[in-house]
Amino acid sequence: MTELLKITLPDGSQREVARGTTPAQIAADIGPGLAKAALAAKVDGALYDIMRPLEADAQLALVTAKDEKDALELVRHDFAHVLAEAVQSLFPGTQITFGPSTDDGFYYDVAAPKDRGPFTEEDLPAIEAKMREIIAADKPLRREVWSREALIERWASQGESFKAEWAAELPGDEDLTVYWSGGDWLDMCRGPHLASTGKLDPQAFKLTRVSGAYWRGDQRNAMLSRIYGTGWLNKKQLDSHLLRLEEAAKRDHRKIGQEMDLFHLQQEAHGSVFWHPKGYIVWRALEAYMRRRLDKAGYHEVKTPQIMDARQWEQSGHWGKYRENMFVIPDEVPNTQDEGPVVSDAAEWMALKPMNCPAHILIFKQGIKSYRDLPLRMAEFGCCHRNEAHGALHGIMRVRQFTQDDAHIFVREDQLVEEVAAFCDLLDSVYKHLGFESYAIKLALRPEQRFGSDEMWDWSEQSLRNAVAATGRATEAYGWEELPGEGAFYAPKLEFHLTDAIGRTWQCGTIQTDTVLPERLDASYVGEDGERHRPIMLHRAILGTFERFIGILIEHHAGKFPMWLAPVQAVVATIVSDADDYAHEVAEKMRAAGLRVDTDVRNEKINYKVREHSLAKVPNLLVVGRREAEEGTVALRRLGSDEHQKVMKIDDLIAQLVTEATPPDLR
């Protein structure tokens, strides 16, 4: 007798189907339009192959292109597999490793055949052409379950040493999955995948670049070729993305930073930034603004040591989690695969701090704290160091030395929701002042490897939900979303994702509820009952790091900073040398009013000066000649304005520019 399964659809209706029925068959029963549009399924909330037989009662939702997030993840995963198949078809002897989807595409790490060098961008056109052949062939993507031993044997027989190594580490008591492309190529993969390669749009992808990547991210391992691509549901989406990339290249913070003489990077301090005078003006203006906002919000600023005893990091739990990314003195301290070495008997081992949290608890523990002292808001513009992999470094966006706008708030349980809500309001105001009108809020939930009890995590996660709801921001308008498994090892966290001028998102702000670190480092306060209690520690940042956020600001504004952040707010430029003295007089008067002003009295044509200062993104160019000197006026040219220059009395102009240059929190 055929076993029947009860399948519940999103509208609440139910269907009884035979065990082994596929989601594709259910879609076909509903209608031919849905059968054609369905790309995959969600079975009890998890993505599922459209052709995979159902084995139990389930909640079923069919995924179409309208479910863009899930659909994009599927097609990008498939593009990665097609890429690997194309490379092996064109270049026999190539070994494949891993090929995940990314935020805007996919990549695959491959080892080139021994008889040729690493892959280069010159190989990309041929690989793209072969990928389109595979897509046009409409090869079925078929799932099979294998044992670990069968996988190892398969990879070893094919000369796939990397895959064999990985397969050997998979759980021996679990069935593992592979996917066939047609009947002649397979890859080890959890899935899910589309029904066939023909479901991909052959005009909706483009291979973009090739870089080096170490096997498993370890520089002691073999160097592989990482081939990147971008993949979309259709050509229109791809074209829009390529236009964004073109605009992003124009806004690249490294390019603009050089044009504006803000900073530079060099090998002698790899992963650290050399801030030039103009760049450091931006830094100082941003820091002063943040300091005023924190002072007004009741934070106490502190400063903690750069180097701390390694035993402190062991006690906090960071040693086992972050040791490989910490700069340790001496650097030959051994490491292990689990919790790191025991350092309790080695007082001479020190570490540059990768974060500020433990040091702030040490300040909190000085003296007895009462429930009346809470909430206690402790802020630090703390310089931290993390030994990021060489390949992960990117301009000033990803560095090894950075300064966080860090703070920790120690609260009682009854204060948590109100304090998190107040932080959300502060962050909202700061982002709007800095020119970011749109951001999304996401709740990152408990990871598999974590400290603390399930009850603690239940309470912490719900508290963050309640706090965001209290501000009215747990809505679709704010992109509210929950991210299973993406919390820190000690706490769930709210993440704040900015959207910039060209639609890119940047995760900057965060707030985390932590009950683990106060326990591990024995922080306590005296409650109203006279007993000792553990405070809850809120880890929070708004900018994230100054380096990265300034990079984001540069790209968001394309270097055209708001007046209050502009390193040079005006340049007084002469048309003729007879006006040199007047130009200096105007500049001095503006400086006395608090404006940042330069003069340009070089013996160059005015059009040359205009072009040069426009490239340097100076917001105001004040042109002076004999007439202006005689009349006490200037001719104002605005950066990026189509209006002709405007002649103004110098006192009127100064009053106007002083107003424009006033930071938004002081207006």
Side-chain angles (χ1 to χ4, degrees):
M1 182 176 177
T2 303
E3 180 183 354
L4 295 179
L5 305 179
K6 186 177 293 183
I7 303 301
T8 305
L9 300 176
D11 63 359
S13 64
Q14 292 185 334
R15 290 174 175 253
E16 286 193 340
V17 301
R19 181 186 180 93
T21 299
T22 67
Q25 290 172 316
I26 295 175
D29 288 342
I30 295 173
L34 184 58
K36 183 178 180 180
L39 300 174
K42 277 196 167 179
V43 177
D44 294 332
L47 274 175
Y48 207 83
D49 296 317
I50 196 79
M51 302 300 293
R52 182 177 170 184
L54 297 167
E55 301 293 339
D57 295 346
Q59 300 274 343
L60 175 71
L62 294 163
V63 175
T64 70
K66 293 180 180 179
D67 306 298
E68 189 167 288
K69 181 180 178 183
D70 291 327
L72 281 171
E73 183 178 343
L74 282 163
V75 300
R76 288 167 178 166
H77 192 179
D78 280 26
F79 277 129
H81 278 243
V82 172
L83 165 61
E85 182 178 354
V87 171
Q88 288 199 310
S89 177
L90 287 171
F91 306 99
T94 299
Q95 290 194 60
I96 57 174
T97 62
F98 297 120
S101 60
T102 65
D103 288 341
D104 61 5
F106 56 95
Y107 69 80
Y108 214 109
D109 289 348
V110 298
K114 294 180 180 179
D115 59 355
R116 61 158 290 160
F119 291 101
T120 69
E121 293 184 9
E122 293 179 357
D123 297 311
L124 299 186
I127 298 172
E128 281 187 356
K130 177 55 75 172
M131 289 177 68
R132 292 191 172 93
E133 284 183 26
I134 295 169
I135 292 169
D138 196 18
K139 301 174 69 174
L141 299 175
R142 180 168 50 86
R143 178 180 182 271
E144 285 186 358
V145 177
W146 288 29
S147 68
R148 183 179 68 166
E149 290 71 22
L151 273 175
I152 296 171
E153 182 179 348
R154 165 77 184 195
W155 297 130
S157 68
Q158 298 291 316
E160 296 276 10
S161 60
F162 298 103
K163 286 285 191 184
E165 177 184 327
W166 182 248
E169 297 178 13
L170 296 174
D173 57 349
E174 293 183 14
D175 289 330
L176 307 168
T177 55
V178 301
Y179 279 81
W180 285 94
S181 174
D184 57 348
W185 190 85
L186 68 77
D187 196 1
M188 180 169 64
C189 182
R190 290 182 179 178
H193 283 280
L194 300 175
S196 69
T197 61
K199 295 290 186 181
L200 297 169
D201 184 338
Q203 303 304 317
F205 80 94
K206 181 176 179 57
L207 300 184
T208 54
R209 61 190 176 95
V210 182
S211 71
Y214 292 108
W215 166 235
R216 305 178 79 168
D218 190 332
Q219 61 185 359
R220 295 168 295 184
N221 291 338
M223 175 65 77
L224 308 171
S225 294
R226 177 168 292 178
I227 303 175
Y228 287 92
T230 184
W232 300 85
L233 297 174
N234 52 58
K235 188 175 186 299
K236 182 180 178 181
Q237 288 184 341
L238 172 65
D239 290 343
S240 296
H241 175 70
L242 294 177
L243 282 174
R244 285 196 299 272
L245 288 182
E246 185 178 336
E247 180 62 28
K250 296 176 185 175
R251 294 168 177 261
D252 190 304
H253 71 280
R254 295 164 296 184
K255 172 178 173 288
I256 293 175
Q258 182 176 6
E259 293 170 350
M260 296 180 67
D261 191 26
L262 301 179
F263 61 84
H264 82 274
L265 303 148
Q266 68 182 72
Q267 189 64 37
E268 285 76 1
H270 203 62
S272 299
V273 185
F274 292 83
W275 289 100
H276 296 190
K278 291 178 181 177
Y280 202 53
I281 286 172
V282 178
W283 179 298
R284 289 172 57 200
L286 184 61
E287 183 179 57
Y289 165 80
M290 290 302 301
R291 184 169 278 120
R292 290 192 302 271
R293 298 305 308 271
L294 295 180
D295 287 346
K296 188 174 180 180
Y299 286 79
H300 304 282
E301 189 173 349
V302 300
K303 195 72 174 172
T304 59
Q306 290 290 294
I307 302 176
M308 293 173 59
D309 193 311
R311 289 173 294 189
Q312 180 69 23
W313 300 108
E314 180 189 34
Q315 186 179 353
S316 70
H318 292 94
W319 188 257
K321 300 291 183 181
Y322 288 101
R323 164 63 189 92
E324 63 182 15
N325 294 118
M326 293 171 68
F327 290 100
V328 178
I329 307 168
D331 62 7
E332 66 269 14
V333 176
N335 198 7
T336 68
Q337 297 298 315
D338 43 37
E339 287 296 306
V342 175
V343 297
S344 305
D345 297 326
E348 71 274 13
W349 289 350
M350 307 288 285
L352 283 169
K353 66 177 177 181
M355 64 276 297
N356 301 302
C357 346
H360 288 186
I361 288 186
L362 295 182
I363 293 179
F364 179 87
K365 290 172 63 177
Q366 292 295 300
I368 298 173
K369 298 296 185 295
S370 162
Y371 69 95
R372 295 188 182 90
D373 297 319
L374 306 184
L376 176 59
R377 307 178 188 96
M378 195 180 301
E380 179 174 10
F381 299 132
C383 181
C384 299
H385 295 78
R386 295 182 189 172
N387 190 15
E388 301 283 1
H390 179 88
L393 301 177
H394 175 66
I396 65 173
M397 300 286 204
R398 188 77 176 266
V399 291
R400 288 173 173 157
Q401 176 182 296
F402 54 89
T403 300
Q404 296 177 314
D405 71 314
D406 202 9
H408 295 91
I409 308 172
F410 298 88
V411 298
R412 306 188 306 264
E413 282 192 21
D414 61 292
Q415 297 170 322
L416 187 142
V417 169
E418 182 179 356
E419 199 64 30
V420 173
F423 168 76
C424 291
D425 291 340
L426 174 62
L427 174 140
D428 181 89
S429 172
V430 169
Y431 284 177
K432 286 182 168 61
H433 280 170
L434 293 171
F436 297 96
E437 294 296 326
S438 176
Y439 61 89
I441 306 176
K442 303 181 188 297
L443 174 58
L445 303 173
R446 68 195 76 184
E448 287 188 17
Q449 301 297 320
R450 60 184 181 268
F451 293 152
S453 67
D454 287 342
E455 291 76 16
M456 178 277 288
W457 282 88
D458 290 341
W459 179 85
S460 295
E461 290 168 353
Q462 190 58 46
S463 296
L464 291 178
R465 289 189 190 97
N466 294 343
V468 179
T471 70
R473 296 186 178 95
T475 66
E476 186 176 342
Y478 281 90
W480 173 254
E481 183 182 5
E482 298 195 2
L483 307 174
E486 296 193 21
F489 70 90
Y490 52 84
K493 59 181 176 177
L494 291 175
E495 298 177 350
F496 298 83
H497 296 248
L498 292 175
T499 299
D500 72 8
I502 59 173
R504 298 172 300 182
T505 58
W506 307 88
Q507 197 265 299
C508 296
T510 183
I511 187 165
Q512 306 164 12
T513 59
D514 181 7
T515 61
V516 171
L517 210 55
E519 178 73 30
R520 292 180 71 98
L521 296 183
D522 194 28
S524 65
Y525 67 91
V526 178
E528 194 171 5
D529 58 1
E531 300 296 325
R532 288 194 173 272
H533 300 268
R534 297 288 182 208
I536 298 159
M537 185 180 188
L538 301 178
H539 305 247
R540 49 112 293 183
I542 296 175
L543 306 182
T545 74
F546 277 82
E547 290 81 358
R548 182 169 179 265
F549 201 88
I550 290 174
I552 294 170
L553 280 172
I554 291 170
E555 297 196 1
H556 176 62
H557 294 290
K560 301 172 186 176
F561 289 112
M563 265 277 283
W564 67 280
L565 280 175
V568 178
Q569 294 168 330
V571 167
V572 186
T574 55
I575 301 173
V576 294
S577 59
D578 291 355
D580 288 359
D581 289 343
Y582 180 62
H584 290 302
E585 178 185 329
V586 169
E588 283 303 317
K589 197 168 186 178
M590 295 177 74
R591 291 188 191 104
L595 295 166
R596 298 189 286 270
V597 184
D598 285 344
T599 56
D600 187 346
V601 296
R602 294 174 298 166
N603 185 24
E604 299 284 358
K605 292 183 178 180
I606 190 61
N607 287 341
Y608 175 85
K609 294 179 181 180
V610 170
R611 285 194 302 271
E612 191 169 71
H613 296 301
S614 295
L615 184 66
K617 308 298 188 293
V618 176
N620 301 288
L621 186 63
L622 283 51
V623 179
V624 296
R626 293 189 188 93
R627 178 183 296 178
E628 288 78 15
E630 291 169 359
E631 298 177 353
T633 61
V634 296
L636 172 64
R637 289 173 178 253
R638 295 280 199 177
L639 177 65
S641 174
D642 294 331
E643 297 179 8
H644 295 296
Q645 61 189 27
K646 180 180 181 181
V647 177
M648 300 181 67
K649 288 288 188 181
I650 182 60
D651 289 343
D652 293 341
L653 176 63
I654 289 175
Q656 178 177 322
L657 294 185
V658 166
T659 298
E660 294 175 5
T662 301
D665 63 307
L666 298 178
R667 292 173 189 168

